[in-house]
Amino acid sequence: MIRAMLYRVSLLQALAVMIVISLLLPLPLLMLTYANSTYKHKQEEFTTLNTKKFNLSSAIFVESLWNFYPELGQKMLDQLLLDPKLQFVHVDDSDGKLFLGWENKNKSGNDDNILLLRKKLEKDNIVVGSLEMGFIREDLIASIMADMSLFGYILFLQIFFLVVLISWIYYYKIIKPIRRLVEHSTLLAHQKLDEPFRWDENDEIGTLGFALDKTRIQLKSLFDSLKHENEILDEKVKQRTKELEDASRYKSEFLANMSHEIRTPMNAIMGMSHLMRKTAMNSTQLSYVNKIKEASSVLLRIINDVLDFSKIEAGKMEVESVAFDLHKELKKSCSIFSVLAKEKGIGFQCDFVESNRFFKGDPCKIMQIVNNFLSNAIKFTKEGAVILSVDEKVNDDTTSTLTFHVKDSGLGIPKEKQSLLFKAFGQLDASVTRKHGGTGLGLYICTQLASMMHGHITLESEEGRGSLFSFIISLPLAKGLDLQHENNAANAYDPLRILLIIDQKKESDMLCDFIRSFGFFVTVQKSSDDVASQIKTIDKPHQLIILDYELSKGMNGVSFYEQLLQQVALVDMPPVLMLATNDDAEIKNRIYGAGIKSCLKKPINPSMLYDELVALSAGSSQTSLFDPSKIDLSQKRILVVEDNDINLEVATYLLKETHAKVEIARNGLEAVEIIQEQAHPFDLILMDVQMPLMDGYEATRIIRKELNILTPIVAMTANVMVQDIEKCIQSGMDAHIGKPFDIEDFYGTLLEVLHVSLSIAPKQQVNTQKHVKLHFNKKEAIKKLGGNEALWQKLFCSFYETYLLLPAKLHEFIKKEELATLLDYVHTVKGLSGTIGVSLLEETLCLFEKSLKEDKSIQDSLLEAVLNEHHSLLTTLRDAYNRIDPAMYQTLHAQSSEYSLEGSLKELKDALEISNVSKINLLVEQLSSVEILREHEVFKTLLLACKSFDFEAALEHLARLSEEIAYG
């Protein structure tokens, strides 16, 4: 307690208390000295004085008694009463009777403090009476208080003065300097060392302040040194971090390159194995081929696991959130794994129908986890069954927690080894690896994926009794409308319009809720309504009909449908889904016999209803391709500036479909010359960007600024990034068309720039969703060409023949260090690849082109990716090329290439006449790709003359070649 009080007081308060205590400590000694000397002396004086009073007064009282004169005695008594110390007076006569007397009624103190004096009163030796008087003595405390009042005031003033004086000196000499020391120490603690600590005092605290300032100087020097060292360390850390990032990047690139290197021969091995199985083989050979295919599949799965592992380690694995159909995804997996389970002779069960159907999340990664569970379960189960089930716990109106269970009756896992499964490359023991294969990455990747989606995986297993793997994840609920918009993001979404014919109100409301939750429109009619008029007169026809079998008034759905067919033509009747309480064979035969396509048994499950509706509507809403025949540009003159034959052919074909007058220039310089020669300007210029001699940007600048021509210019380029489009607009062009051409985009841009009115669908926005690109997508390429398969075949044959030696061309340009030529070549092949539908090659070339532009160097990894993709496509493209009818191709080729061959020969003649070497080399290279010239003897002689720079001889050979071609 005392210590706590001391902690609470300041130094100044403690000093004042110490002064007071030091002055009060001698008081007990002073009191003892006073009691033994002064007080004792005072008591003796008191006794002597009062004894004298007693003796003097006794004489008076004797006379009063002798003379019996009480008045005299009374006067003496009155005089004695003036003494406050007097307590009582008793004067008795000789008979002992009271003669005079007085006693203090307020007598204080006890008898020990009374000075008692007695005496017999005599006169001439005759006793006349007695006298008794008492005086109160002053006690020690009262004596001290009486004697020390003045001394006390003086002592208080002395203490006060000393406290004030000493405190003032103490404050300025001790407390204030200590506070300065504290401030300077705080500055040291906060590393504020630039301002010096100034101390003028010469006492001990001043010395401490000087020492503190020296400490500041040394610390400042130390911190400056540390700061310099830290900067050096930071640089080293940054350098080391960069090295680690580079190492991680090199590892990722190595894994990616290795995967491509392995995938390419693996695709060949698997493809050849598949083809070999179709040939005649004995049982031994068939066994060998099956083993090759199985081993290839295992190796491919290992590669995929390693790539996923690399992505997760590099932090490049992304999780998307899209609306998806859970039941549809689960059904895909069940259809695959049920076959695998059947092949192994074990059962396979699944139960997920009772859960909600539509959610938002990453369906690919969710199903990757579930598929891994199913694959492991089937792999490690010899007998019994594998069961997939989904439990749903609805949290609120917006989210649900899903638990995917995969239970098997396989080997089981000891508890002490279960944790090993979820570690990278973790296996239970070597024997499992040898017997069942695998990398030990599957469950580790699943764990990481679950964590990235804020879910988790649990395991319950007992050795010899099977295992239960569970994946728990919370997902937002989606609606059918969200899914429809997700799947139709590229097109304007038009929901299914369904006509529901049912008489029961309760069932009708329930079905309407189901259908609207799918994102579809529904119209309800009763059997008593005029349904036929509804079907025939509605503006937007119904795409499906749902018909109840149990109608009112004893009518059944089949009879109602047959009556409806009498009023509505069969071609106008949408597909019908019948709902029936009983689905026995007789009723089904009636339903299907009437021509109704599908039947669903009551009670209706929403999931099954959705599947039936989607199945019935599949293919019913195909979007018609763009029809260019409605566009008339016969009064328009259009200049096409393009150096690539195939792209030129596509653009020219599309323009001729509109009857436009088309002229051609093969580079920017030629385009400028043609425009200068024109008496009347073109209505439109379609300008390629990357061309020899003069590119599209420079040509546009000359047309706009030097020639002052305002003809609309539209860029045609495979560079479709935002910055590329902005660059085209900034250079003076009016619009942009991307390669490969999208038909609607091509014609829509032309109409917009030429200000031609036509009732067509507006240009659709680019779909931002990620689509899976195929190596070779013929259907999509034909669609982009307006559905013209003949044109696609011609373009494809030209592409295949011209760019069959793509690797040789790339290596040739690289060896010659012709970076600009290489860039032009890659750009051209990229655009052509998209045109014929080789999407992945186009994408790979795009990355390679971007690298060439930005880094001004060749990245081996990107080059390898291009070569790998080219190699993987050769077989596919060769098969597609061989399937094309040669006769039809030759007809197409002859019809469409006549104008381009003639134009190219004319250009070569002009170039030879003016000795334009670069243009001669370009035209000769282009003409070398034309099949009818490649083996022509005159053309070979022409090539030799051009390479020898003998342009006069070349002109003669060219004239001869033109005559032979003209006359066949």
Side-chain angles (χ1 to χ4, degrees):
M1 178 178 179
I2 296 174
R3 183 180 296 177
M5 290 177 63
L6 290 175
Y7 286 154
R8 294 176 183 173
V9 298
S10 65
L11 282 174
L12 192 60
Q13 292 170 338
L15 176 64
V17 172
M18 286 190 294
I19 294 172
V20 173
I21 291 174
S22 63
L23 292 174
L24 294 178
L25 277 176
L27 283 180
L29 183 59
L30 291 174
M31 295 290 290
L32 184 60
T33 304
Y34 179 83
N36 290 332
S37 62
T38 305
Y39 179 69
K40 187 175 182 181
H41 180 67
K42 284 181 67 175
Q43 292 299 323
E44 290 176 352
E45 287 183 351
F46 176 77
T47 302
T48 303
L49 178 61
N50 287 319
T51 301
K52 288 181 178 180
K53 287 181 182 180
F54 179 78
N55 291 331
L56 290 173
S57 61
S58 63
I60 301 300
F61 286 124
V62 167
E63 289 300 327
S64 176
L65 284 170
W66 184 262
N67 296 313
F68 197 75
Y69 185 30
E71 289 78 1
L72 178 60
Q74 187 63 46
K75 288 182 180 180
M76 186 64 211
L77 180 58
D78 291 338
Q79 289 297 323
L80 290 171
L81 289 177
L82 295 175
D83 185 359
K85 304 294 184 182
L86 182 64
Q87 292 297 304
F88 60 87
V89 178
H90 293 151
V91 181
D92 295 331
D93 57 16
S94 56
D95 294 330
K97 293 181 179 179
L98 181 62
F99 178 70
L100 284 174
W102 176 83
E103 187 171 350
N104 188 0
K105 294 181 180 179
N106 296 323
K107 182 168 64 173
S108 60
N110 52 39
D111 293 340
D112 294 336
N113 285 339
I114 301 299
L115 175 61
L116 183 59
L117 300 174
R118 290 191 182 94
K119 183 180 180 182
K120 289 184 178 181
L121 301 178
E122 294 180 354
K123 179 70 172 182
D124 298 333
N125 295 324
I126 299 173
V127 177
V128 294
S130 62
L131 174 62
E132 186 179 27
M133 296 178 66
F135 296 91
I136 186 170
R137 293 189 181 93
E138 189 174 30
D139 60 13
L140 180 60
I141 300 302
S143 175
I144 292 172
M145 296 301 295
D147 290 343
M148 296 190 67
S149 295
L150 178 60
F151 177 74
Y153 291 125
I154 295 172
L155 179 64
F156 173 76
L157 291 173
Q158 182 182 7
I159 292 172
F160 178 76
F161 177 74
L162 287 173
V163 168
V164 172
L165 178 62
I166 296 174
S167 298
W168 184 80
I169 296 171
Y170 192 76
Y171 174 78
Y172 280 97
K173 294 298 290 181
I174 298 177
I175 295 177
K176 191 173 181 180
I178 288 176
R179 288 180 178 173
R180 286 182 62 199
L181 286 174
V182 172
E183 291 175 1
H184 292 165
S185 300
T186 304
L187 292 175
L188 286 180
H190 290 87
Q191 300 182 13
K192 296 179 180 179
L193 309 174
D194 295 329
E195 187 177 350
F197 302 157
R198 304 188 183 279
W199 286 87
D200 299 325
E201 295 83 350
N202 294 321
D203 54 11
E204 289 79 0
I205 296 181
T207 304
L208 182 60
F210 293 135
L212 198 62
D213 189 53
K214 291 181 180 179
T215 304
R216 176 193 67 82
I217 295 171
Q218 293 178 353
L219 284 175
K220 188 175 185 301
S221 175
L222 179 62
F223 282 139
D224 290 342
S225 176
L226 285 174
K227 184 178 180 182
H228 179 67
E229 292 294 330
N230 283 338
E231 290 174 354
I232 296 174
L233 286 174
D234 285 341
E235 286 298 322
K236 290 182 178 180
V237 169
K238 289 179 182 177
Q239 183 179 357
R240 182 61 178 158
T241 302
K242 186 176 183 301
E243 290 175 358
L244 292 173
E245 289 174 350
D246 289 342
S248 177
R249 181 168 57 83
Y250 295 151
K251 183 182 73 173
S252 299
E253 290 177 358
F254 170 76
L255 289 172
N257 291 336
M258 286 303 298
S259 72
H260 282 296
E261 291 294 331
I262 298 173
R263 280 172 184 272
T264 302
M266 283 308 304
N267 283 334
I269 293 170
M270 295 179 73
M272 292 301 104
S273 301
H274 178 72
L275 294 176
M276 284 182 66
R277 290 184 66 184
K278 295 183 178 181
T279 63
M281 293 185 293
N282 58 38
S283 58
T284 304
Q285 292 171 330
L286 183 61
S287 174
Y288 291 162
V289 171
N290 289 336
K291 289 176 181 178
I292 291 172
K293 187 176 180 182
E294 290 174 6
S296 302
S297 301
V298 171
L299 184 56
L300 209 54
R301 285 198 298 272
I302 292 172
I303 295 170
N304 292 333
D305 284 348
V306 172
L307 282 176
D308 284 344
F309 176 73
S310 175
K311 285 183 181 179
I312 290 171
E313 275 204 330
K316 294 182 179 179
M317 184 73 78
E318 297 179 356
V319 176
E320 63 178 354
S321 179
V322 297
F324 70 97
D325 184 347
L326 177 64
H327 291 190
K328 182 179 178 181
E329 300 296 332
L330 290 171
K331 286 174 183 176
K332 288 181 187 176
S333 295
C334 290
S335 64
I336 295 171
F337 287 102
S338 61
V339 174
L340 297 177
K342 185 177 180 181
E343 289 177 353
K344 198 171 181 182
I346 58 176
F348 185 85
Q349 301 175 24
C350 52
D351 178 19
F352 52 81
V353 176
E354 297 304 321
S355 65
N356 274 307
R357 182 160 191 149
F358 306 118
F359 295 91
K360 285 186 178 180
D362 193 326
C364 293
K365 292 181 177 56
I366 291 172
M367 293 313 301
Q368 183 176 347
I369 296 173
V370 175
N371 290 344
N372 184 274
F373 290 173
L374 291 171
S375 176
N376 288 340
I378 293 174
K379 182 192 297 184
F380 293 103
T381 301
K382 293 182 179 179
E383 56 184 17
V386 172
I387 302 171
L388 166 65
S389 62
V390 181
D391 295 335
E392 180 182 13
K393 178 184 176 184
V394 179
N395 302 327
D396 49 43
D397 294 338
T398 59
T399 61
S400 283
T401 299
L402 295 175
T403 304
F404 298 85
H405 298 291
V406 176
K407 182 177 177 58
D408 64 66
S409 56
L411 301 175
I413 305 163
K415 288 187 177 180
E416 64 273 10
K417 293 185 178 181
Q418 290 179 8
S419 60
L420 294 174
L421 291 176
F422 300 100
K423 295 180 179 178
F425 305 103
Q427 295 276 15
L428 295 185
D429 55 42
S431 64
V432 174
T433 307
R434 287 196 301 268
K435 185 174 182 180
H436 297 283
T439 61
L441 287 175
L443 286 175
Y444 169 78
I445 292 171
C446 290
T447 305
Q448 299 301 312
L449 292 178
S451 178
M452 291 168 64
M453 293 184 288
H454 307 291
H456 63 279
I457 293 173
T458 63
L459 167 62
E460 298 176 15
S461 182
E462 187 175 342
E463 191 171 9
R465 301 191 65 180
S467 304
L468 173 64
F469 283 87
S470 302
F471 169 41
I472 300 98
I473 184 173
S474 292
L475 294 175
L477 292 170
K479 297 180 179 179
L481 186 62
D482 299 328
L483 184 67
Q484 305 305 325
H485 281 298
E486 201 81 53
N487 294 336
N488 294 273
N491 305 307
Y493 170 56
D494 187 16
L496 283 178
R497 293 175 296 280
I498 297 174
L499 177 61
L500 174 62
I501 305 172
I502 191 169
D503 291 335
Q504 298 295 328
K505 181 70 168 59
K506 188 175 180 180
E507 290 186 24
S508 171
D509 292 343
M510 179 189 69
L511 289 170
C512 285
D513 289 341
F514 288 163
I515 295 169
R516 291 189 181 108
S517 72
F518 302 151
F520 303 151
F521 292 150
V522 59
T523 303
V524 181
Q525 295 273 292
K526 293 183 178 179
S527 59
S528 58
D529 296 334
D530 190 357
V531 178
S533 298
Q534 173 75 16
I535 295 174
K536 290 187 290 186
T537 60
I538 192 169
D539 292 336
K540 288 189 175 183
H542 298 292
Q543 294 159 301
L544 291 174
I545 294 177
I546 300 177
L547 177 60
D548 188 16
Y549 186 83
E550 291 85 11
L551 298 174
S552 60
K553 298 180 180 179
M555 181 178 290
N556 61 57
V558 173
S559 301
F560 182 85
Y561 178 72
E562 291 172 346
Q563 292 179 11
L564 198 60
L565 285 177
Q566 297 175 3
Q567 305 174 56
V568 180
L570 184 62
V571 294
D572 297 328
M573 181 70 71
V576 177
L577 168 64
M578 183 71 75
L579 307 180
T581 305
N582 191 354
D583 64 344
D584 57 26
E586 182 181 351
I587 292 179
K588 279 188 175 182
N589 290 335
R590 288 193 63 192
I591 292 172
Y592 296 140
I596 296 172
K597 294 180 179 293
S598 182
C599 176
L600 199 59
K601 183 181 179 181
K602 298 180 184 179
I604 302 300
N605 180 280
S607 178
M608 294 180 178
L609 176 62
Y610 179 83
D611 287 339
E612 290 293 334
L613 294 177
V614 171
L616 284 173
S617 66
S620 63
S621 56
Q622 295 293 328
T623 304
S624 60
L625 295 173
F626 195 93
D627 183 10
S629 62
K630 297 180 181 178
I631 304 174
D632 183 11
L633 300 180
S634 57
Q635 302 302 315
K636 304 294 182 182
R637 294 175 61 240
I638 299 175
L639 175 63
V640 180
V641 188
E642 173 63 68
D643 65 314
N644 181 269
D645 290 337
I646 297 179
N647 286 333
L648 179 62
E649 190 171 344
V650 174
T652 307
Y653 174 86
L654 295 176
L655 290 173
K656 286 190 174 181
E657 288 286 300
T658 66
H659 310 290
K661 299 179 178 68
V662 181
E663 294 191 30
I664 297 168
R666 302 309 297 265
N667 56 63
L669 180 61
E670 186 177 335
V672 172
E673 293 174 351
I674 292 174
I675 291 170
Q676 285 178 311
E677 295 171 357
Q678 299 300 311
H680 300 286
F682 289 99
D683 295 293
L684 177 65
I685 300 172
L686 297 179
M687 181 77 73
D688 187 19
V689 171
Q690 289 184 227
M691 295 177 291
L693 302 181
M694 182 183 292
D695 63 28
Y697 299 121
E698 180 65 18
T700 301
R701 187 192 66 78
I702 294 173
I703 294 169
R704 291 285 188 248
K705 295 187 177 180
E706 297 183 15
L707 303 181
N708 294 319
I709 293 176
L710 302 178
T711 300
I713 302 176
V714 177
M716 295 191 307
T717 175
N719 298 331
V720 294
M721 301 297 288
V722 175
Q723 58 268 25
D724 298 319
I725 298 174
E726 290 176 351
K727 185 177 179 181
C728 293
I729 302 302
Q730 290 170 2
S731 69
M733 300 182 189
D734 298 275
H736 174 280
I737 297 175
K739 297 177 184 175
F741 298 134
D742 179 87
I743 298 300
E744 294 189 12
D745 182 46
F746 182 87
Y747 287 125
T749 303
L750 259 60
L751 295 174
E752 183 180 340
V753 173
L754 292 171
H755 305 290
V756 176
S757 299
L758 185 66
S759 178
I760 62 172
K763 291 170 65 175
Q764 298 180 2
Q765 299 297 319
V766 178
N767 183 12
T768 58
Q769 297 295 323
K770 295 180 179 178
H771 294 287
V772 178
K773 290 194 173 184
L774 302 176
H775 288 274
F776 179 47
N777 194 337
K778 176 181 174 181
K779 291 182 179 179
E780 186 67 23
I782 294 173
K783 182 179 178 182
K784 287 182 178 181
L785 292 173
N788 191 327
E789 186 173 358
L791 175 62
W792 176 86
Q793 288 184 350
K794 178 182 179 303
L795 296 175
F796 174 76
C797 291
S798 299
F799 173 85
Y800 180 76
E801 294 170 357
T802 304
Y803 296 100
L804 192 62
L805 301 178
L806 171 67
K809 285 284 187 183
L810 293 177
H811 287 305
E812 178 186 351
F813 294 138
I814 293 170
K815 185 177 180 181
K816 294 180 179 180
E817 297 184 352
E818 297 177 353
L819 190 62
T821 309
L822 175 63
L823 183 60
D824 290 339
Y825 182 73
V826 171
H827 177 80
T828 301
V829 179
K830 178 188 72 173
L832 297 175
S833 301
T835 301
I836 67 157
V838 191
S839 304
L840 283 181
L841 179 60
E842 176 194 17
E843 186 178 274
T844 311
L845 287 167
C846 183
L847 295 174
F848 189 38
E849 180 189 22
K850 182 179 179 183
S851 171
L852 291 173
K853 285 182 178 179
E854 296 178 354
D855 301 336
K856 306 296 183 185
S857 63
I858 299 168
Q859 289 192 18
D860 292 340
S861 60
L862 293 176
L863 176 61
E864 285 297 318
V866 172
L867 296 176
N868 289 338
E869 185 62 28
H870 177 272
H871 181 72
S872 64
L873 280 168
L874 278 178
T875 303
T876 304
L877 296 183
R878 187 183 295 114
D879 292 343
Y881 181 75
N882 293 334
R883 284 196 295 270
I884 295 177
D885 183 5
M888 182 177 67
Y889 167 66
Q890 290 172 2
T891 302
L892 283 167
H893 190 76
Q895 290 176 349
S896 60
S897 64
E898 181 179 350
Y899 77 92
S900 59
L901 179 59
E902 182 182 350
S904 297
L905 293 174
K906 183 179 181 302
E907 287 182 43
L908 180 59
K909 179 182 177 182
D910 295 339
L912 288 169
E913 289 175 348
I914 62 175
S915 299
N916 189 334
V917 178
S918 60
K919 188 171 184 180
I920 290 171
N921 291 335
L922 176 67
L923 290 170
V924 166
E925 182 179 351
Q926 291 175 350
L927 290 169
S928 298
S929 64
V930 179
E931 186 178 5
I932 62 174
L933 295 180
R934 192 179 301 146
E935 302 299 328
H936 202 291
E937 292 299 327
V938 178
F939 181 71
K940 291 179 180 179
T941 310
L942 172 64
L943 286 179
L944 183 61
C946 290
K947 289 180 181 178
S948 304
F949 299 101
D950 187 355
F951 297 145
E952 291 182 2
L955 281 169
E956 295 176 2
H957 296 312
L958 179 60
R960 182 182 169 191
L961 179 65
S962 299
E963 289 178 4
E964 292 188 7
I965 291 175
Y967 293 103

